[in-house]
Amino acid sequence: MAENRDNAKVFFVGTGPGDPELITVRGMNLLKTADLVIYAGSLVREKVLGYCESSPEIRNSASMSLGEITSLMVEAVRAGKKVVRLHTGDPSLYGALREQADVLEKEGVAYEVVPGVSSAFASAAALKRELTLPGVTQTVIFTRVEGRTPVPEKERLSLLAAHGATICIFLSVAMMDEVVRELSAGYPQDTPVAVVYRASWEDESVVKGTLSDIAKKVAEAGINRQAMIIVGQAIGDNPGENSKLYDAGFSHGYRE
Ligand code: SAH
């Protein structure tokens, strides 16, 4: 079964947030048997390349254009090769996956997407917090502020803030002042905010504060890249309510 699944194809593999142990077993097995591995040198930690066992050709996509990357993949698959395209975290979030996949579809080249642990989840783990806390919020928003990639007007942080949900903000720690200004339109100043730098790496660090002081703390810590901003009451010290799932007075399918 696995044999058939793993014929010449492109596999977009999420490598997780940084710790090489946080790639999936499937992702690791694909790396073991890959013929060509394409990775973005600046983002994907070279450590996961240590899983390669079949001496694949390894290409760094950092200096390549979309056309160069997709041509490389198309030619390799047509030559019967197994291609692994590495993405950080999970490929479905800020991964430029779609533009590559669209070319492969147009060229009739088979591909598969293998999920990974997003840095949003590694950051929640570093905080030891649940993002959906009963009695507090049941919603998580993944977003970013505008950089070179525009963000639709209706998704401004100031508008998202109105919901009081947990918000995970990618790609934005260099714009901390703007993030705080926008969030302040919807959240009280004492709302908990955490910034997790390099979640799951050896040098992971966490800065915790509130909307009123987080920008200053992050500047003092010198963090301006590779960090996740998480905002909302769920990550604070308010315990919320216990879940119904383990509530002795609440029956469900597995427990009368
Ligand atoms: N697909 C990736 C996100 C790529 S965008 C994922 O699912 O995690 C890159 C952004 O992700 C960075 O700007 C940062 O906000 C976040 N990021 C990536 N790795 C991180 C890590 N180890 N710790 C904290 N944030 C990280």
Side-chain angles (χ1 to χ4, degrees):
M1 160 84 192
E3 283 286 293
N4 280 340
R5 281 210 292 178
D6 293 356
N7 285 340
K9 252 189 204 177
V10 175
F11 296 89
F12 292 96
V13 173
T15 54
D19 179 344
E21 291 199 342
L22 291 178
I23 192 171
T24 62
V25 174
R26 175 141 175 80
M28 180 184 73
N29 284 335
L30 286 165
L31 274 175
K32 281 185 183 168
T33 54
D35 300 305
L36 168 64
V37 178
I38 306 175
Y39 76 108
S42 57
L43 292 172
V44 173
R45 291 193 85 188
E46 307 201 352
K47 277 194 175 175
V48 297
L49 296 175
Y51 292 128
C52 297
E53 285 178 359
S54 49
S55 308
E57 179 185 350
I58 295 179
R59 296 289 296 270
N60 185 341
S61 64
S63 61
M64 292 161 68
S65 67
L66 173 64
E68 286 167 337
I69 296 168
T70 52
S71 308
L72 191 63
M73 291 174 174
V74 168
E75 279 163 32
V77 170
R78 291 199 176 137
K81 293 181 178 166
K82 181 193 287 186
V83 180
V84 173
R85 169 65 163 135
L86 299 177
H87 282 260
T88 57
D90 183 85
S92 71
L93 293 171
Y94 312 103
L97 170 67
R98 178 67 185 266
E99 60 191 28
Q100 301 173 74
D102 281 351
V103 175
L104 299 182
E105 280 183 26
K106 207 168 112 256
E107 296 288 337
V109 167
Y111 68 93
E112 231 179 78
V113 181
V114 179
V117 176
S118 173
S119 57
F121 301 129
S123 298
L127 297 172
K128 300 185 177 137
R129 282 291 186 266
E130 182 174 355
L131 302 179
T132 54
L133 194 60
V136 176
T137 183
Q138 291 290 287
T139 303
V140 183
I141 297 171
F142 297 133
T143 192
R144 60 172 297 171
V145 295
E146 192 160 307
R148 277 181 301 175
T149 304
V151 173
E153 185 60 31
K154 284 197 292 197
E155 297 170 20
R156 290 191 73 101
L157 270 184
S158 54
L159 299 176
L160 300 181
H163 300 280
T166 304
I167 307 189
C168 300
I169 309 170
F170 292 73
L171 294 158
S172 305
V173 78
M175 290 168 278
M176 208 56 209
D177 289 335
E178 185 185 338
V179 167
V180 166
R181 196 174 343 109
E182 295 269 333
L183 289 171
S184 298
Y187 288 100
Q189 284 300 298
D190 62 358
T191 303
V193 186
V195 169
V196 184
Y197 172 72
R198 287 190 170 173
S200 87
W201 294 46
E202 296 87 353
D203 57 353
E204 167 186 297
S205 68
V206 175
V207 176
K208 287 184 192 167
T210 63
L211 263 187
S212 62
D213 61 13
I214 193 73
K216 185 164 166 277
K217 287 183 173 175
V218 167
E220 279 166 6
I223 300 173
N224 56 18
R225 62 197 184 98
Q226 288 176 304
M228 177 67 50
I229 307 165
I230 304 188
V231 191
Q233 287 299 340
I235 62 158
D237 297 326
N238 171 359
E241 296 165 7
N242 285 346
S243 79
K244 300 285 186 248
L245 189 59
Y246 301 111
D247 181 345
F250 186 78
S251 66
H252 57 67
Y254 297 98
R255 197 182 54 217
E256 289 293 309

